[in-house]
Amino acid sequence: MKTLASAAEQQLDEAVVVLQFLTLNSLKYLLLGVQKRAWAMPNYRRATVLAIFILTALYLLTSPRSSSPSTSQGLPQGDGTTHPIPTGRPSGTSQQPSRPYPPPRQANSPKYPNQQPMAEPASKNLRDKLQYQFPYDLEAKFPAYIWQTWKYTPASGDFGDSFRAAEASWTEKHPGFIHEVVTDKAAVHLLMYLYASVPEVVEAYNALPLPVLKADFFRYLILLARGGIYTDIDTAAIVSTTDWIPPEVPRSTIGLVVGIEADPDRPDWKDWFSRRIQFCQWTIQAKPGHPVLRDVVATITDDILRMKKKGILKSNKMDKSIVEFTGPAVWTDTIFAYLNNPNYFKMEGKNITWEAFTGMESAKKVGDVVVLPITSFSPGVGQMGAKDPEDPMAFVKHEDMETRKRENPSRETVGQKGMIATEKRIALDLRNGLWHPYNTHCGTPRKEASQPVDVTHPSRKSHD
C-alpha cells in the first residue's frame, strides 16, 4: 500500500516530464524562428514569454520541498508512521503505525448480528408481528411486576375502601416487586406506547364498547408485553408468588402459571359454565412473549376488527358473548390449543383434555405451563373440590363479586339478550362464589399430546 508521500512524488515526476517536453518544444520553435530570421514581433514575444514561464515552473517544481513542522504534522512519512497533531495533552504515548490512505473499504456487517431482521413487516400476519415485537425467552426470570387495573389508583379518595386491604396485600407479600394499579385512562396511553409498532392492536383496544371487555383485553396485552403477574383488583394475596411452585421445579422451565376456575361435577354443567374445565383469568403469571398470550391477543384483535368492519361491535349487537369474546372461554380454548400443538410439544399418548385436570389437588406441569388446582385461586367457594383459604394450596382469595358489582356496575353489565345468563342465574352464581355463568358448550378435543406431570407442593403450616 503506497503512502501519501510516495503517491505525491510519483505525480511530481510525471509533471516534470510533461513540463520538460513543453519546454523543449518551445525552445525548438524559438531557434527555428531565429534561423529563418522570422522575427515577427508578436510571435517572438509570445515564444519568449512561454519559455520563461515554463522554465520558472520547472525550477519551482524541481526545487527541494520544505519539511517544516507546520506542513508535515499528522501526515505519513517515509517510515510508515504517523506523527500526531499536538492537542495539548501529555505526549507520553508511543507512535502508532499509520492507517493506509485511502482507508480500505469495510465489508457491510449488521450492527446487531443476533437481531432478527424484519423484512417487509406490512406483509407479516399479526402473530408474526407480535412474535417479533415480544420474543419469548423460556429461561429468563419471571419479571417482578404486579399489574392491576381500576378506575382509580389507591392514592385517590374514590378508590374504594373495600379494595384497599386486598390491593395492599400484594405489596405486602411481594416486597421488591413493582406494583402498578393502572387506571382505565392510563391504560390507553400505556398500550399506545407498548404496541406502537402493532397499531392494529391499539385500534382494536380503543374500539371495544364496554369497560369489561377492555379490562379482559388489558390483562393479556400487559402480560404479553411486560410479563409478571396480573390480578384483579378484588383479589387478595394469601402467599407470595415465589411459593406457588415447589422450589425443586426450575423456574427456567416454566413460562405460564394458571389456575382452575371451574371444575363442575354436576350433570347440567353446560347450563352454567362455558367449558367443562375452565381456566382462571383473574390471576395469571407469565413471562413476556408467551405463545398463549400471543395467540389470545391475536384472536381477540381479529374478532374486534372483524366485528368493527361489519358494524356489529356494539354492546347489543356483538355475535359473541363476553365470556367467549374476551373472557375465560377464549382463554381456556387458547391454553388447550397450545398444550396440543405439535409445534411446541412432542406428541405422545392421549390428547390433553379437561379429563387431565379434573379433580386436581396439586399442581400439574405440561411443557412450560403449570396448572394449579381450584383451591389455589378459588379457595372457600364451597364446591367443585375447592378447599378453605387456610389450605396449603390456597394462594389467592377472590373477594365477593357482589362488591365489585356495587362499586362499578358498568364493568359487569353485559347487555346481550339471548347470549348471557339470566339475572336469577347471575345472583345464584354470585352467592355460590362462581364466575361467568354462561351457557356454552365444551370444545372438542384436539390432537394427541404429552401428558401432564404432577407437581407436589410441600404443605405449609401457616399463611401469616
Side-chain angles (χ1 to χ4, degrees), residues 277-297:
I277 282 289
Q278 193 163 281
F279 293 116
C280 169
Q281 42 113 239
W282 64 65
T283 300
I284 307 168
Q285 185 182 25
K287 293 177 181 177
H290 195 278
V292 170
L293 295 167
R294 182 199 314 146
D295 194 37
V296 75
V297 165

Side-chain angles (χ1 to χ4, degrees), residues 222-382:
I222 194 64
L223 290 178
L224 175 62
R226 287 293 181 263
I229 303 167
Y230 171 85
T231 189
D232 277 357
I233 199 66
D234 59 352
T235 60
I238 299 176
V239 296
S240 171
T241 181
T242 57
D243 296 328
W244 290 1
I245 302 171
E248 60 269 16
V249 179
R251 298 314 193 261
S252 61
T253 64
I254 302 171
L256 180 66
V257 180
V258 297
I260 298 293
E261 175 187 356
D263 183 11
D265 52 359
R266 48 197 296 174
D268 61 343
W269 67 267
K270 293 181 181 180
D271 296 332
W272 301 92
F273 298 97
S274 63
R275 304 293 183 266
R276 175 59 180 82
I277 282 289
Q278 193 163 281
F279 293 116
C280 169
Q281 42 113 239
W282 64 65
T283 300
I284 307 168
Q285 185 182 25
K287 293 177 181 177
H290 195 278
V292 170
L293 295 167
R294 182 199 314 146
D295 194 37
V296 75
V297 165
T299 299
I300 294 173
T301 300
D302 290 341
D303 278 343
I304 294 172
L305 298 181
R306 175 184 57 80
M307 292 188 203
K308 180 182 178 182
K309 185 176 181 180
K310 293 175 64 177
I312 61 173
L313 191 60
K314 299 179 181 179
S315 59
N316 60 345
K317 291 186 177 182
M318 295 185 297
D319 56 11
K320 284 188 175 184
S321 65
I322 290 179
V323 68
E324 296 284 344
F325 189 8
T326 61
V330 65
W331 178 239
T332 299
D333 290 347
T334 305
I335 293 175
F336 273 115
Y338 175 72
L339 298 180
N340 291 284
N341 192 333
N343 294 327
Y344 298 109
F345 300 98
K346 182 179 180 181
M347 314 310 271
E348 296 178 357
K350 296 181 179 180
N351 183 26
I352 300 254
T353 66
W354 63 269
E355 295 175 335
F357 304 107
T358 186
M360 285 175 47
E361 294 188 357
S362 60
K364 289 186 177 181
K365 181 176 180 292
V366 185
D368 63 342
V369 179
V370 168
V371 179
L372 301 175
I374 192 171
T375 301
S376 295
F377 292 164
S378 301
V381 298

Side-chain angles (χ1 to χ4, degrees), residues 146 148 163-175 179 229 231-242 244 282-283 376-377 379 389 394-399 460 463-464:
I146 300 173
Q148 295 183 290
F163 296 143
R164 292 195 180 277
E167 185 274 336
S169 68
W170 288 96
T171 300
E172 294 170 358
K173 297 294 183 181
H174 300 85
H179 183 186
I229 303 167
T231 189
D232 277 357
I233 199 66
D234 59 352
T235 60
I238 299 176
V239 296
S240 171
T241 181
T242 57
W244 290 1
W282 64 65
T283 300
S376 295
F377 292 164
F395 302 149
V396 176
K397 179 69 169 66
H398 201 196
E399 300 298 334
R460 290 178 281 109
H463 299 292
D464 296 336

Side-chain angles (χ1 to χ4, degrees), residues 8-24 54 57-63 65:
E9 290 177 359
Q10 183 178 356
Q11 293 177 359
L12 180 60
D13 293 339
E14 294 175 355
V16 169
V17 172
V18 173
L19 288 173
Q20 288 176 348
F21 175 78
L22 293 175
T23 302
L24 291 174
I54 294 175
L58 183 61
Y59 171 79
L60 293 175
L61 291 173
T62 56
S63 63
R65 294 183 299 276

Side-chain angles (χ1 to χ4, degrees), residues 1 33 53 55 68 169 184 261 266 291 317 340 369 441 461:
M1 184 65 69
F53 171 77
L55 291 173
S68 61
S169 68
D184 296 342
E261 175 187 356
R266 48 197 296 174
K317 291 186 177 182
N340 291 284
V369 179
H441 298 281
K461 296 181 180 180

